[in-house]
Amino acid sequence: MKNISIFCLCLVLLSCRKEQEAETFNLLPLQQGVNVLEQGAKGDGISDDGPAFERAMALANSRKLPVVIPAGKYKADIRIAYDGIELVGQGQPGSNFSYGTIIIGTINCNNKKNIEIRNLGIDGRDIKTAAALISGDGEDSVELNQKFDHISLVGSGYHAYNHGILCQTGRNIYVSNIIVKDFYHGIAIRSGEVVIDSVEAISCGFTSIIIKSAENKNRYTRNVTIKNVIVSGNPNNPFQRGGTILVQSYDDNSITENIYIGKVKSKDAGVSAIAVDERKGKVRNVLVEDCQGFNQGDVSERACFDIQGGSNISLKNCTSSQARGTGFRCSGAAERVRVEQCYESGSGVRPWWGNFSYLQLNGQEIIK
């Protein structure tokens, strides 16, 4: 019996050690730069590390070096005060936020140019602002040249009405290798010249990604590319169903145009896999291809691929499977909407409905 107990204890210790090694394995070597720990940060998740980040950014700006953030939990609302700042963590956390570099709070890029943030996580579960990571809040035409890479974000769910990443205005923004979980909007784009590549969106209640033009400073949202996205959620909770990818114009004079969405896999997600909504203003020139939706829609009134207005909308090689409502739908003042080489199976209400200009499903031309 004693030998068995010792053996079990050894297994537990070995398991813990392997878990620690797995976490260590995900950490990156610290690069040269201004280390926030050397500027007074504690990284314990309790102390206010905001002043230490301010000192680190000031020194990094004067020396033209990155701000380096070792693994740990830093309680701070970081407002970037200089152009050209790099915030470099030691590791992007997984969706459980158990390791890596974690900012408990927010990062506001404050409309600064040539910003790069990478290899870290933002725990936004207690934030009071619009988003965990804010890109810009200036004018549509400002060239921001910002890059966000290998970043994880977690929020407090649908009812908090927060964004994971909010690109409010400006142009030239690159977003890649993102995990975003438990937000109302996972990623919101109201900017131009944006590329979003490789995103895992988990349980984002309303939208996983929204591309939207509105009034005033973000009237024009154009030239946006979204590719390689996985959307998932809880199929039994309408507030955790993963969120749709939504292309929208919201106000009278707003324009959303030249949008590309490719290689999206959406399972058990929101009201639609992908939706186009010309509420007011104009949505035009949207291409959706190589996208898949499984078990979409929380009620039978929804559609997996849902076009509500807009012009020059094309869906190519897209698949709707087991939609709770309609597979492919076109409604509103939609013009020149084409569905080519697409597939549908198992829709709860009907395979398709609406005023398509061209419709080809399951190898058959239905509307020519």
Side-chain angles (χ1 to χ4, degrees), residues 23-331:
E23 292 185 355
T24 303
F25 180 77
N26 283 275
L27 300 181
L28 302 172
L30 286 174
Q31 71 176 72
Q32 184 179 4
V34 178
N35 192 315
V36 293
L37 295 178
E38 295 174 357
Q39 302 304 311
K42 301 297 183 183
D44 57 11
I46 300 173
S47 306
D48 181 7
D49 286 328
F53 275 91
E54 292 177 6
R55 290 190 292 270
M57 286 188 289
L59 185 58
N61 179 63
S62 66
R63 296 182 178 179
K64 305 305 178 187
L65 291 171
V67 175
V68 177
I69 316 167
K73 295 184 178 181
Y74 301 84
K75 188 176 180 181
D77 290 315
I78 301 169
R79 188 175 181 86
I80 295 177
Y82 311 96
D83 292 335
I85 288 291
E86 290 182 54
L87 298 181
V88 184
Q90 199 178 359
Q92 176 187 14
S95 59
N96 58 4
F97 270 65
S98 63
Y99 62 87
T101 296
I102 299 171
I103 307 298
I104 302 175
T106 61
I107 299 178
N108 188 340
C109 294
N110 193 24
N111 213 39
K112 298 303 178 185
K113 300 177 181 178
N114 304 314
I115 301 301
E116 185 168 345
I117 301 173
R118 63 181 185 271
N119 302 332
L120 54 78
I122 305 175
D123 186 338
R125 281 175 280 199
D126 294 323
I127 64 174
K128 306 300 181 184
T129 56
L133 173 59
I134 298 178
S135 167
D137 197 9
E139 299 293 336
D140 278 328
S141 60
V142 174
E143 296 279 349
L144 292 177
N145 297 314
Q146 296 176 345
K147 183 176 181 180
F148 310 117
D149 183 44
H150 283 94
I151 298 174
S152 298
L153 307 104
V154 63
S156 52
Y158 179 96
H159 296 287
Y161 197 71
N162 297 126
H163 306 66
I165 300 176
L166 173 59
C167 297
Q168 183 79 345
T169 52
R171 297 170 56 191
N172 290 333
I173 299 168
Y174 187 75
V175 182
S176 59
N177 301 300
I178 303 298
I179 299 173
V180 59
K181 179 181 179 182
D182 293 336
F183 285 95
Y184 184 82
H185 294 303
I187 300 175
I189 302 299
R190 301 180 182 181
S191 307
E193 318 297 333
V194 179
V195 174
I196 300 176
D197 186 2
S198 300
V199 173
E200 182 178 3
I202 306 168
S203 299
C204 292
F206 183 33
T207 67
S208 55
I209 301 175
I210 180 171
I211 307 101
K212 176 181 177 179
S213 59
E215 59 187 356
N216 298 328
K217 295 179 181 178
N218 42 34
R219 284 178 54 197
Y220 304 104
T221 298
R222 51 172 59 118
N223 303 329
V224 177
T225 294
I226 297 171
K227 56 186 179 180
N228 302 315
V229 178
I230 297 175
V231 179
S232 63
N234 179 357
N236 301 314
N237 186 332
F239 302 111
Q240 297 178 341
R241 281 186 57 83
T244 186
I245 294 180
L246 174 62
V247 180
Q248 186 179 65
S249 58
Y250 198 75
D251 293 300
D252 287 334
N253 297 315
S254 64
I255 298 175
T256 301
E257 63 182 357
N258 305 334
I259 311 299
Y260 174 81
I261 302 172
K263 295 184 178 179
V264 173
K265 293 183 178 180
S266 184
K267 180 181 179 182
D268 300 331
V271 296
S272 304
I274 295 169
V276 175
D277 177 22
E278 188 181 75
R279 182 163 299 189
K280 295 181 180 179
K282 297 293 182 182
V283 175
R284 57 197 183 200
N285 305 331
V286 179
L287 172 58
V288 180
E289 65 177 353
D290 300 323
C291 295
Q292 303 173 17
F294 174 81
N295 190 28
Q296 300 298 139
D298 52 350
V299 292
S300 60
E301 286 77 15
R302 311 293 192 188
C304 183
F305 293 91
D306 202 3
I307 312 301
Q308 302 178 50
S311 60
N312 296 328
I313 316 296
S314 295
L315 285 76
K316 297 181 179 180
N317 194 32
C318 295
T319 301
S320 169
S321 178
Q322 307 299 316
R324 296 193 179 187
T326 300
F328 293 80
R329 181 169 64 183
C330 180
S331 62

